[in-house]
Amino acid sequence: MYADLDDFLADLERRTLLTRVGEPVSPDLEIAAVVDRACKMDGGGPALVFEKPTGYDVPVAANVFGSMERMCLALGVKTLDELALEINALMTPQMPAGIMDALKMLPIVSRLSDLMPKTVKEAACQEIIERDGTLDALPILKCWPEDGGRFITLPLVFTKDPETGVRNIGTYRMQVFDGRTTGMHWQRHKGGAQHYRVAERLGRRLDVAVALSPEPVLTYCATAPMPEGLDELLLGGFLARRRIEMVKCVTVDLDVPASAHIVLEGYVEPGERRREGPFGDHTGFYSQPDDYPVFHLTCVTRRTRPTYLTTIVGIPPMEDFYLGMASERIFLPLIQKTHPEIVDMHFPAEGIFHNLVLVSIDKRYPGHARKIMHACWGLGQLMFSKTIVVVDKDVNVHDLSEVAWIVGTHMDPVRDVQMTKGPVDDLDDAAELPAYGGKMGIDATRKWASEGYNRTWPARLKTTEDAGRRAVEIWIRLEGR
Ligand SMILES: Cc1cc2nc3c(=O)[nH]c(=O)nc-3n(C[C@H](O)[C@H](O)[C@H](O)COP(=O)(O)O)c2cc1C
Ligand SMILES: [Mn+2]
């Protein structure tokens, strides 16, 4: 597993999965435009390192996680499904039947002991301590022409619940207001916002630490939809197969990953808000300006030679699609623990996670598809799902064209569409009100007599095994193989 970002970038370079850009490129729109073109290439394009961002000495890395191969490398697996199997094994401990069985469980036990982070005294992220530091040396990008300014797009935002001390890490963009203040765009449903809510109730300042360019698993973990109160570092230790090393901040009461290249220490004040945005968002449209808390910088700590890791969001597919794919695969086995009838699920890139969720189920009783819709609407960040399509288990939810075909042939709009209302993603601009709006579930499963369907459901076309085999033979000859 990669010790830090440099280690990861060096390996990507050895594997020819990384392109270095040696000529000067401006952090003002130009870098974003170059990265956007990479993201639109087949399979996601290469990881990019801009060695000379115009006007800065710190290199910019982007699209580092932007392909299936690089996402898997970052998480130390060959396929994301392999990871899903490991998580399933962890969640389904078998009672050992004898000594051999017990020995087989040792790797799982050692995996569990990796979960707790450990504190170290010396850390690369504190090689240099700038107590009155500013953001001025960082090549923070302006991504799209109408953006309200420059945004830190891939920060790991660390906070603690002021009452319980429980940690949260989330990726929330930060708009640069000046060298010592930024916006803090944690949306109301997120972990950071909850800690801030508690701090405001207590009338207290909330310490915040922001880690930039950490070891790759942690960048993923900060985006993962962990249940509230579950430390993202548990997932980090599990994925890294070792305990995550943390170090105490210099000016605030928080720990940050020792591996980070840059750490911004600071706080948000209760009651303080400032206009943030517009921002060219991952919806592919500009998010409207809105009032968000303000982050005040107290100290910058960093490596001697840092790299600034960032991402560009925009019209899908973008790098965040691959981070989302990792969550889709990692969280599926966890969801299946309470909903074992869920066979598979997929968030297609076009649906930007919350707009379109495809679920296949092993249908067992009347109304089952609707039960699954409601389960999703009640489950963590799946609550944002605007459109949920439920299909039978023989449909491949990763094949958008098969799903479209099945929806068209299996759905009666009057009978099979479930409309409801509830919390929606802050980024849903179609909703009548901010963060509250309509949702739709489409039951595209085969309908049963017990569901009131009294005609005969047609059988799907398939030739016989014999004819199929003959066809393969004939085609081998036709193609001269
Ligand atoms: C590139 C990127 C940028 C993101 N920006 C934001 C953001 O500005 N605000 C926000 O609330 N969530 C943002 N998210 C989503 C959160 O990181 C995600 O919902 C995460 O699970 C939140 O963790 P939490 O539940 O601990 O708050 C972003 C995700 C990615 C991948
Ligand atoms: Mn969280």
Side-chain angles (χ1 to χ4, degrees), residues 422-475:
V424 299
D425 197 293
D426 263 282
L427 300 184
D428 190 338
D429 293 304
E432 221 106 23
L433 293 167
Y436 180 44
K439 292 146 189 287
M440 173 172 71
I442 299 175
D443 176 358
T445 60
R446 282 182 286 276
K447 302 305 165 320
W448 295 0
S450 52
E451 293 174 316
Y453 184 80
N454 287 317
R455 302 170 62 199
T456 310
W457 199 271
R460 185 168 172 157
L461 306 189
K462 193 169 187 287
T463 193
T464 62
E465 287 209 3
D466 285 351
R469 213 174 308 117
R470 274 286 288 152
V472 171
E473 288 162 15
I474 289 169
W475 270 106

Side-chain angles (χ1 to χ4, degrees), residues 68 282-284 314-329 344-360 382 385-391 395-404 407:
M68 240 11 210
H282 80 155
T283 54
I315 299 173
M318 284 296 209
E319 182 177 9
D320 61 341
F321 168 69
Y322 299 94
L323 292 163
M325 271 302 283
S327 286
E328 176 190 301
R329 293 295 98 191
D344 204 353
M345 70 189 327
H346 184 49
F347 314 104
E350 295 81 352
I352 19 167
F353 314 119
H354 57 269
N355 285 341
L356 184 55
V357 176
L358 313 177
V359 190
S360 59
L382 272 180
S385 308
K386 181 148 76 174
T387 310
I388 301 179
V389 175
V390 184
V391 294
V395 179
N396 177 9
V397 290
H398 300 278
D399 183 343
L400 214 49
S401 122
E402 182 177 350
V403 173
V407 168

Side-chain angles (χ1 to χ4, degrees), residues 5-227:
L5 178 66
D6 294 347
D7 197 12
F8 186 41
L9 295 179
D11 189 45
L12 293 182
E13 194 157 22
R14 269 194 298 276
R15 295 170 185 264
T16 68
L17 301 175
L18 180 143
T19 299
R20 287 188 181 275
V21 184
E23 65 188 276
V25 189
S26 173
D28 187 17
L29 303 181
E30 287 183 4
I31 290 183
V34 175
V35 175
D36 184 29
R37 286 185 74 95
C39 294
K40 298 300 185 285
M41 292 173 188
D42 272 353
L48 291 163
V49 173
F50 297 86
E51 289 172 330
K52 293 202 188 98
T54 315
Y56 296 88
D57 291 329
V58 175
V60 173
N63 202 31
V64 165
F65 302 93
S67 76
M68 240 11 210
E69 185 177 9
R70 296 199 297 280
M71 192 67 240
C72 288
L73 284 169
L75 300 180
V77 287
K78 287 208 176 59
T79 64
L80 293 176
D81 286 323
E82 175 186 325
L83 194 54
L85 286 177
E86 285 175 27
I87 290 169
N88 192 45
L90 189 74
M91 298 292 297
T92 321
Q94 308 283 333
M95 286 304 279
I99 185 83
M100 287 313 287
D101 253 23
L103 284 175
K104 269 193 229 147
M105 287 183 68
L106 279 179
I108 292 182
V109 175
S110 90
R111 241 10 229 278
L112 290 176
S113 62
D114 290 336
L115 297 185
M116 297 311 284
K118 67 175 172 198
T119 315
V120 297
K121 289 239 150 56
E122 304 244 309
C125 69
Q126 294 179 344
E127 276 168 12
I128 294 182
I129 294 172
E130 301 168 345
R131 278 180 188 273
D132 292 312
T134 68
L135 302 171
D136 298 344
L138 298 181
I140 299 166
L141 309 185
K142 180 176 177 183
C143 299
W144 300 102
E146 308 291 316
D147 279 2
R150 301 186 298 138
F151 288 81
I152 302 173
T153 54
L154 208 49
L156 280 68
V157 177
F158 287 72
T159 51
K160 279 199 289 197
D161 183 312
E163 284 179 332
T164 63
V166 170
R167 166 175 34 223
N168 189 66
I169 318 174
T171 295
Y172 318 118
R173 72 169 185 246
M174 298 161 68
Q175 177 176 357
V176 178
F177 294 138
D178 60 54
R180 301 198 32 106
T181 40
T182 76
M184 181 49 76
H185 189 262
W186 46 48
Q187 293 155 351
R188 64 196 94 207
H189 313 101
K190 307 299 173 72
Q194 174 56 21
H195 291 178
Y196 184 54
R197 210 172 274 130
V198 176
E200 286 203 306
R201 175 161 49 75
L202 301 173
R204 271 198 233 152
R205 175 181 275 201
L206 181 71
D207 281 351
V208 178
V210 178
L212 303 173
S213 320
E215 56 194 290
V217 280
L218 294 184
T219 302
Y220 162 68
C221 291
T223 71
M226 288 291 276

